[in-house]
Structure formats: structure tokens, C-alpha cells
């Protein structure tokens, strides 16, 4: 993370990173997402179920180790969590050097991965605005101290195809990570004052603090919007996936077995890998 990026992240609460992934990686991830979407849609209603402490009722796939909730109907979204277990093509994102350099610039101490979701947003869908000051929940706060930026949860979104505003762009209200009062505007990102749709190209990434007001404007296009979201935070923060909220991260034995120690450490809150 260079000084300009650090300044902009502190000022705005997010940065857009051009060309984060090369075209081969984009193609490989896009194919893996398409295959996983097809598998997840076939299994959406199947047992076994995992009810999120936040309410939604997820399918836990016994073969591929993911959790899925949602629908592919118009206006709906499908969210696939713990996708690492499903396909080793996602491993390029586990301990990716460029990503970890950015995370090291905004999370102090040892950082771990606390969130992993593929968002598939069909025509008519929007992601409601959230984030910003929540008096009842300081878990995702944004801070700054003598050592610099001190974030709790942050997310990197990887884009595997171009996304314009009308294709359901990820959106933010710049600077709201520093607000002190609850947002009075409800949850419609198309209407929220100051909300900016961030248009990107395949291979770009967006890094943001979860304390920033953000969402996804309505997908008014024929293109289904597919993005890969990975959350990070201090090592003591447990899973922030909805299906496994505040539990240990859901990583299967076979996934751990194919990773090296540094990759495994990213999913071990409280522990360092054995040397
Ligand atoms: O990409 C979107 O539509 C919303 C994503 C979001 O809310 C998040 O990653 O926290």
C-alpha cells in the first residue's frame, strides 16, 4: 500500500485498486464461480441446513463444504459462503502477496480471514445500504492511532467481470467511516444522499472498511453480477460469515490439508501455525 493509497483510504474509507488480478486468474476464478453457482442453485433447498444467528437458513453442502442462501429469481441474490472448500481455484486468493500488503497497511497486528462470500446478484437486485456508526455494534469500527490506520473488519472485493452502475455496482458514501451518528436515510442505495456507484473492470478490486456506509445499487442489466468478497480483521475476530457468525471459520480438513502453514494461519484465530 503506497502513501497515496493510505491517505485516500483514511480520507474516504475505501480505495479502488486497478488490475489487482491478471487475466488468467480472472478467467480461472470466473469459471470456478460459474460452476459453483450452478451447483449451489441445484442444492439451495436441500438438507442439511445451518440457521444463521442472524436469521437466514443456509444449506451446508456436505460434498463441497460451502453454505448457500438466497434465490436466482428476479430481484434476488444468492450468497455462497466458505467457497474455499469447494474449489482449489480459489486458493490464489489465500495469502496473496498484494492483498496481504494492503491488509497489513490497515489492520494492526496479525490479521486473519473472517469472511468469505461469493455474491451473485440477479436482475433487479440491490444490496441494502449498511455500515457507518452503529451505537449498538462497535465490532467493525474504524480507528487511527500512533501506529496508523487501525481497522477492525475490512473487505476486499475481487471483480471477475466489468461492472457499471446499471450492472449493480458496489457503492459507498465516501467518508462515512468517520461519522458519529446513526445514518437517518434508511437502506436504499439508489436513493441515499452521497452514495457513489463504483464502476470497475474485470481484475480490479475494492478495499473498504466495514464501518463505511456501503451497498450495491440496483442491477438493471441482463448481466448477472458475480463478485468474490473476502473479509479480514484482527486475529481474535471469529467468522463474520452469516451462516457461521462468531463461530470458528468453517474450513474442512481437506482444505486445510492442501494449504501451507501461512495459508492455514489466516483461518486460525488465536493460534499461530505449528512450526
Ligand atoms: O457488493 C454489493 O452489492 C454489496 C457488498 C457488501 O455489502 C459487502 O461486501 O459488505
Amino acid at each position: 500500500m503506497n502513501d497515496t493509497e493510505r491517505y485516500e483510504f483514511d480520507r474516504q474509507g475505501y480505495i479502488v485498486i486497478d488490475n489487482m488480478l491478471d487475466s488468467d486468474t480472472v478467467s480461472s476464478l470466473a469459471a470456478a464461480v460459474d460452476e459453483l453457482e450452478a451447483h449451489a442453485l441445484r442444492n439451495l433447498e436441500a438438507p442439511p441446513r445451518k440457521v444463521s444467528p442472524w436469521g437466514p437458513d443456509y444449506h451446508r453442502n456436505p460434498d463441497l463444504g460451502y453454505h448457500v442462501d438466497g434465490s436466482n429469481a428476479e430481484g434476488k441474490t444468492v450468497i455462497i459462503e466458505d467457497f474455499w472448500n469447494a474449489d482449489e481455484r480459489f486458493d490464489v486468493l489465500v495469502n496473496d502477496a498484494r492483498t496481504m500488503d494492503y491488509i497489513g497497511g490497515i489492520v494492526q497486528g496479525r490479521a486473519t480471514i473472517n469472511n468469505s462470500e461469493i455474491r451473485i446478484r440477479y436482475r433487479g437486485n440491490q444490496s441494502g445500504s449498511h455500515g457507518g456508526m452503529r451505537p449498538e455494534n462497535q465490532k467493525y469500527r474504524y480507528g487511527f492511532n500512533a501506529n496508523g490506520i487501525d481497522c477492525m473488519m475490512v473487505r476486499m472485493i475481487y471483480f471477475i467481470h466489468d461492472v457499471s452502475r446499471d450492472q449493480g455496482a458496489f457503492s459507498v458514501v465516501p467518508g462515512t467511516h468517520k461519522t458519529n451518528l446513526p445514518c437517518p436515510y434508511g437502506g436504499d442505495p439508489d436513493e441515499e444522499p452521497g452514495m457513489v456507484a463504483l464502476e470497475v473492470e474485470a481484475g480490479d478490486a475494492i478495499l473498504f472498511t466495514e464501518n463505511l456506509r456501503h451497498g450495491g445499487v440496483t442491477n438493471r442489466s441482463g448481466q448477472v453480477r458475480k463478485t468474490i468478497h473476502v473479509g479480514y480483521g484482527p486475529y481474535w475476530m471469529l467468522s463474520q460469515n452469516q451462516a457461521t457468525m462468531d463461530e470458528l471459520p468453517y474450513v474442512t480438513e481437506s482444505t486445510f490439508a492442501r494449504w501451507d502453514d501461512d495459508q492455514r494461519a489466516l483461518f486460525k484465530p488465536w493460534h499461530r501455525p505449528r512450526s
Side-chain angles (χ1 to χ4, degrees), residues 237-248:
M237 195 179 283
L238 293 169
S239 170
Q240 299 304 299
N241 286 355
Q242 286 211 37
T244 54
M245 181 58 66
D246 291 328
E247 300 174 9
L248 285 169

Side-chain angles (χ1 to χ4, degrees), residues 117 119 121 127 130 155 170 208 210 214-216 225 229:
E117 61 192 42
R119 281 188 179 240
R121 296 185 43 216
S127 307
H130 57 286
R155 275 202 178 106
F170 176 71
F208 66 101
E210 190 62 28
H214 63 279
R225 205 208 81 178
H229 303 231

Side-chain angles (χ1 to χ4, degrees), residues 40-60:
L41 289 176
R42 287 197 300 276
N43 287 280
L44 265 174
E45 307 302 333
R49 314 300 298 178
K50 172 76 169 77
V51 180
S52 161
W54 284 8
D57 177 15
Y58 280 74
H59 164 65
R60 171 177 284 180

Side-chain angles (χ1 to χ4, degrees), residues 200-262:
V200 293
E201 296 183 359
D204 294 347
I206 295 174
L207 177 66
F208 66 101
T209 155
E210 190 62 28
N211 213 45
L212 183 71
R213 284 291 288 174
H214 63 279
V217 295
T218 300
N219 182 356
R220 302 181 191 284
S221 77
Q223 170 178 264
V224 177
R225 205 208 81 178
K226 305 181 188 186
T227 42
I228 302 174
H229 303 231
V230 184
Y232 295 81
Y235 65 91
W236 44 260
M237 195 179 283
L238 293 169
S239 170
Q240 299 304 299
N241 286 355
Q242 286 211 37
T244 54
M245 181 58 66
D246 291 328
E247 300 174 9
L248 285 169
Y250 188 72
V251 180
T252 61
E253 289 293 321
S254 60
T255 304
F256 267 125
R258 69 169 191 261
W259 285 344
D260 64 28
D261 280 350
D262 291 336

Side-chain angles (χ1 to χ4, degrees), residues 75-77 119-130 157 159 163-173 187-200 213-221 223-225 227 229:
K76 300 294 186 187
T77 182
R119 281 188 179 240
I120 304 178
R121 296 185 43 216
Y122 301 94
R123 183 181 177 82
N125 175 259
Q126 66 168 212
S127 307
S129 309
H130 57 286
I157 308 179
F159 291 85
V163 185
S164 68
R165 180 188 182 92
D166 280 353
Q167 290 167 333
F170 176 71
S171 61
V172 298
V173 185
D188 183 345
D190 295 334
E191 300 293 332
E192 184 163 333
M195 187 68 80
V196 180
L198 301 175
E199 299 195 324
V200 293
R213 284 291 288 174
H214 63 279
V217 295
T218 300
N219 182 356
R220 302 181 191 284
S221 77
Q223 170 178 264
V224 177
R225 205 208 81 178
T227 42
H229 303 231

Side-chain angles (χ1 to χ4, degrees), residues 100 103-104 107-113 232-235 265-268:
M100 295 316 296
I103 299 306
V107 175
Q108 296 188 7
R110 188 169 79 87
T112 49
I113 292 179
Y232 295 81
Y235 65 91
L266 283 171
F267 291 85
K268 288 186 174 172

